[in-house]
C-alpha cells in the first residue's frame, strides 16, 4: 500500500467535516477524499440496515480512489455499520466511537459519564459497551439531542434558540453530576462553547473528532502508511464529494475549514 495514497473520510453530510478538520490539523501531509451523503442525511433517525447499506455504498465509492484507510466520520454509521464494513474490506478502517469512549473512560474521576448523540447512537448503546469494556465501574447516561443537528446546519451556533434547547436537553445531565460529557455526534463540537457553559467548568467535554485523528495518526505510523512528504504545490490535496447540494455543502465547509475548499462534486452514490 502506498504511503501517498489518500485517506477516505465519510459522513452522512457536513458533520464529518469536524473530523476531517482535525485530520488536516494533526497530519497535514495527508490527502483526503471526503464524501458527505447530503442526499440521504440524517442517518441518526434511520435503521441499522439502511445506514449499513448506505455506508457500504460509500466505502465502495471511496475505494475507487485506492484509499489507504477509511475513517467513518459519523457516530451513527460507526455505531451501526463499522463491524460490517470491517468484514468487507482489507484496508484499515476506524470509526469515531471507540476513540471517544477510550478518552472518556480515562478522563472520568467520579465514574459518571454523559453521552449526547443522535437517537440511533444512543439507542445502540455502543458508547456504554466500549466504555464498560475499559472500565466496568462507570455509569453512563445517554441523552439523544436530535435538534442540535438542524440547529448547527442552520448556522445557529451561538444563538438564544440553541441555548434554550441545549438547556432543556442538558439540565438532567447537570443534575446527575456527571464529570465527563462525550460529544457523540459530529455536529456537536461546533456548539461546544454553548454546551460547555451549561455543563460548567467541572465537566470535561470529550470531542471524539480530536481523538479519532490522533488514533488515525498512530495507526498510520504503526502500518508504515504515514505520508512523510508535504503535498506539492497545486496538488489537489483535499477532494470533496456529496450526493446532493454541492454548493450548500461548499459554503458550510468553507465556514469551518480554513484550508481552502475549492469545490465539491455531486455524484450518484446509488450506483455503487
Ligand atoms: N453525522 C451524524 C452523527 O455523527 C449526525 C447527523 C445524522 O443524523 O446523520 O451521528
Amino acid at each position: 500500500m502506498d504511503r501517498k495514497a489518500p485517506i477516505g473520510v465519510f459522513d452522512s453530510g457536513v458533520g464529518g467535516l469536524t473530523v476531517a478538520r482535525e485530520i488536516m490539523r494533526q497530519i497535514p501531509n495527508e490527502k483526503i477524499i471526503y464524501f458527505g451523503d447530503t442526499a440521504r442525511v440524517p442517518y441518526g433517525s434511520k435503521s441499522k440496515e439502511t445506514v449499513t447499506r448506505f455506508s457500504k455504498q460509500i466505502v465502495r465509492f471511496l475505494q475507487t480512489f485506492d484509499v489507504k484507510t477509511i475513517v467513518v466520520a459519523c457516530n451513527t454509521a460507526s455505531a451501526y455499520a463499522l463491524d460490517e464494513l470491517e468484514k468487507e474490506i482489507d484496508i484499515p478502517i476506524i470509526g469515531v466511537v471507540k476513540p471517544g469512549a477510550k478518552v472518556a473512560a480515562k478522563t472520568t474521576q467520579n465514574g459518571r459519564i454523559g453521552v449526547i448523540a443522535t437517537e440511533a447512537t444512543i439507542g445502540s448503546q455502543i458508547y456504554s459497551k466500549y466504555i464498560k469494556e475499559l472500565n466496568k465501574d462507570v455509569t453512563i447516561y445517554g441523552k439523544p439531542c436530535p435538534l442540535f443537528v438542524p440547529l448547527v446546519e442552520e448556522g445557529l451556533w451561538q444563538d438564544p434558540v440553541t441555548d434554550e434547547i441545549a438547556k432543556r436537553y442538558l439540565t438532567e445531565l447537570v443534575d446527575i453530576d456527571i464529570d465527563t460529557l462525550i460529544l457523540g455526534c459530529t455536529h456537536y463540537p461546533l456548539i461546544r462553547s454553548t454546551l460547555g457553559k451549561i455543563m460548567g467548568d467541572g465537566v470535561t467535554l470529550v470531542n471524539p473528532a480530536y481523538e479519532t485523528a490522533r488514533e488515525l495518526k498512530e495507526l498510520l505510523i504503526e502500518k508504515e502508511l504515514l505520508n512523510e512528504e508535504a503535498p506539492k504545490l497545486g496538488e489537489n490535496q483535499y477532494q470533496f464529494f456529496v450526493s446532493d447540494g454541492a454548493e450548500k455543502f461548499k459554503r458550510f465547509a468553507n465556514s469551518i475549514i480554513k484550508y481552502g475548499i475549492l469545490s465539491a462534486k455531486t455524484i450518484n452514490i446509488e450506483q455503487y
Side-chain angles (χ1 to χ4, degrees):
M1 183 55 78
D2 185 0
R3 281 178 183 270
K4 291 191 198 126
I7 296 167
V9 178
F10 79 89
D11 177 44
S12 54
V14 294
L17 291 167
T18 60
V19 182
R21 178 173 69 172
E22 283 301 332
I23 297 171
M24 292 168 185
R25 276 185 194 147
Q26 295 188 37
I27 34 179
N29 290 345
E30 299 298 333
K31 292 183 202 129
I32 294 176
I33 306 290
Y34 182 97
F35 179 79
D37 201 357
T38 44
R40 305 187 293 193
V41 69
Y43 283 9
S45 52
K46 294 195 169 67
S47 68
K48 183 176 165 85
E49 290 66 34
T50 300
V51 172
T52 304
R53 184 169 68 81
F54 290 172
S55 301
K56 283 183 179 173
Q57 288 178 322
I58 298 167
V59 164
R60 278 180 225 128
F61 166 69
L62 291 173
Q63 286 195 293
T64 63
F65 293 86
D66 289 327
V67 291
K68 61 184 174 185
T69 180
I70 291 178
V71 179
V72 184
C74 172
N75 287 264
T76 306
S78 300
Y80 273 170
L82 187 60
D83 289 353
E84 284 291 313
L85 298 175
E86 271 168 353
K87 284 186 219 150
E88 291 225 334
I89 57 173
D90 55 7
I91 54 170
I93 178 162
I94 64 169
V96 285
V97 171
K98 242 186 209 169
K102 238 194 241 174
V103 180
K106 264 193 259 161
T107 305
T108 185
Q109 299 285 317
N110 71 0
R112 299 163 83 80
I113 298 174
V115 183
I116 52 173
T118 62
E119 266 155 346
T121 303
I122 297 298
S124 75
Q125 303 215 337
I126 188 98
Y127 273 104
S128 300
K129 179 177 162 259
Y130 286 141
I131 295 169
K132 292 255 183 211
E133 275 170 19
L134 299 165
N135 183 350
K136 60 177 174 26
D137 296 326
V138 298
T139 311
I140 296 116
Y141 303 90
K143 175 77 189 167
C145 303
L147 288 174
F148 285 161
V149 168
L151 288 169
V152 167
E153 294 199 359
E154 283 304 313
L156 301 173
W157 302 355
Q158 271 169 357
D159 190 278
V161 174
T162 307
D163 291 347
E164 179 55 35
I165 302 285
K167 266 186 223 142
R168 289 199 195 189
Y169 281 146
L170 301 183
T171 302
E172 65 187 80
L173 294 175
V174 174
D175 290 348
I176 50 183
D177 194 29
I178 58 165
D179 72 349
T180 306
L181 179 66
I182 301 177
L183 311 185
C185 172
T186 49
H187 289 61
Y188 302 175
L190 297 171
I191 51 168
R192 190 187 176 111
S193 64
T194 301
L195 305 177
K197 251 184 267 155
I198 295 167
M199 296 312 297
D201 289 342
V203 178
T204 305
L205 303 186
V206 173
N207 176 5
Y210 178 84
E211 300 306 328
T212 303
R214 227 177 42 79
E215 270 199 26
L216 173 66
K217 183 176 179 180
E218 278 170 21
L219 177 81
L220 293 176
I221 292 171
E222 183 199 309
K223 304 265 181 209
E224 300 186 350
L225 283 174
L226 193 72
N227 190 357
E228 279 150 357
E229 268 176 46
K232 296 191 182 61
L233 214 63
E235 200 175 5
N236 207 357
Q237 190 181 4
Y238 304 131
Q239 294 184 59
F240 297 85
F241 297 88
V242 290
S243 44
D244 200 8
E247 265 313 303
K248 192 170 174 213
F249 175 90
K250 196 177 121 184
R251 275 197 303 278
F252 192 95
N254 279 321
S255 72
I256 67 162
I257 293 182
K258 307 295 175 205
Y259 298 89
I261 293 172
L262 299 175
S263 64
K265 209 171 152 199
T266 305
I267 59 131
N268 176 10
I269 195 65
E270 292 287 358
Q271 77 188 34
Y272 290 90

